[in-house]
Amino acid sequence: MYYGRKKGIIIAIILVVIILIVGIVGTCLYMFTDLFKSNEKLFWKYMSKEAENLRITPNLQMEEIEKKKQQTPYITNGKVEFSSTNDEVNNNLQKIKLTSDGKIDKTNNYAYSENKLEYSNSTIFNLKYLQDGDIYALKSDEIVNAYVGVRNKNLKVLMQKLGITATFDIPDEIIPIDYSSICKLTEEEEKHIKETYANVIMQNITKDCYSRQTEAVVEKDGVSYTTTSYRLDLSSDLISNIVLNILNTLKTDSVTLNLIASKASELGIEKYATVDGINKGIDNIIDNLENINFVDTSFVVYAYKGETIATEILLKNTSKITIYTDNLFEIKYEDFKEEAEFDVMNIEITSNNTTTQYSLNIKVNVDDETEVELDINNIGSATDGTLNTNITATVMQNSETYEVIYTGTTEFVDELENIEKLNETNCAILNDYSQQDLNTLMQAIMNQIITVFNQKAQMI
């Protein structure tokens, strides 16, 4: 009997150990693998990975340069040149050159630049720009013998004098906008928006919208990968319903409404600078929602070894967008419409970002017939006090290549030298003219511009 009881205890211990092992293994499999997770959870898991891959890395170099520009005077020099592999075209293109020399002191609201169009080393056209305080002015010696400027005040009255009517509200004063701050959100704001509207989307999508496919083959950079794909199919009606719910949620979301109003105010968009204004705009969208032709749309993420290797967006019978993220960011756009101007467009983006160097290369290939490439290189830093910029834009089509090359420098200085200032003797301020005198002056300037343009066209 003792032996039987002992044997029962041993068996019980073994069973408990097995249960514990199975439980631990099962927990690990659930937490660290995709084995027991639903298609819904796995879709959003890999979609969120793709979203992280698409997050733009801040340009550390230019952030520091821009900060220094706000505090320190600097001078700029730049030139644009042209070339082509077509000899006949190239002979003329190489004779053309654009140059620009500038002096800027943002702390004192001062900016000057002299811009020239040259042909065969002769100046064809010269244009000067000068900002002195709240006056912005232009001058070309062949057109006027003094600066023609606008004071950044009472702009509505000036527009009325010129007979300019606009469908949008013209401000009395244009306030410089810091677009980098407009786009920035605090961690709390970003978290609130993500949580609020992710919940709205998730609550409106049923589980049968999700599916999975094993052994889905993806081609990337000439290599085939056997992946597992997770798919979300949204009908046009469902998309319309999601949009409607998002808009209705936004109407009661005071945090996001006030954020939008604040950004609109900074941008000078008075129509949406208040919560009431935004809600009126939302109501207008809701009223016209039925007139928007939504298309059945599918999202597919391809998972390989725990990472998202590719994402597809399919618009039914219309187009497909495939996104590949890695060191090389690629987008493939396929247009299925019969009247499409092209069938396939491939976009490749590579970048490198440090505090002393920034490079960006963008290649666009259309049907293997046309290729456009943009190459940007910035070398230097705020600490060094200089920045050298090289930008090359290339278009290759029909076995011919056309190239535009910009080279420029930015140099920080202690003080600007030999600066030109605006005063009543060298600048005609349009705001101060009567309507009749203003119209007479503008007509004379337009006539002279046409005369000079015709002369230069004959020279070239």
Side-chain angles (χ1 to χ4, degrees), residues 216-323:
V217 178
V218 173
E219 189 84 16
K220 180 179 179 182
D221 298 331
V223 179
S224 294
Y225 296 87
T226 301
T227 71
T228 300
S229 68
Y230 301 93
R231 182 180 181 119
L232 170 61
D233 293 307
L234 302 177
S235 68
S236 58
D237 289 339
L238 181 54
I239 294 172
S240 179
N241 189 56
I242 290 172
V243 172
L244 178 61
N245 279 280
I246 288 174
L247 292 172
N248 282 324
T249 301
L250 179 57
K251 287 180 65 177
T252 60
D253 180 5
S254 60
V255 174
T256 306
L257 285 172
N258 284 304
L259 175 63
I260 295 171
S262 173
K263 301 292 184 182
S265 179
E266 290 182 58
L267 288 168
I269 308 173
E270 297 303 322
K271 186 176 181 179
Y272 300 115
T274 64
V275 170
D276 286 341
I278 298 169
N279 275 325
K280 286 179 182 177
I282 294 172
D283 287 335
N284 185 53
I285 296 172
I286 291 174
D287 291 340
N288 291 280
L289 202 58
E290 61 183 20
N291 298 322
I292 300 175
N293 295 319
F294 292 104
V295 180
D296 292 354
T297 304
S298 297
F299 299 87
V300 187
V301 287
Y302 295 89
Y304 180 76
K305 293 185 176 179
E307 298 296 330
T308 303
I309 193 171
T311 300
E312 288 180 351
I313 305 170
L314 300 99
L315 305 180
K316 186 178 180 181
N317 301 325
T318 304
S319 59
K320 180 172 77 169
I321 301 170
T322 308
I323 302 171

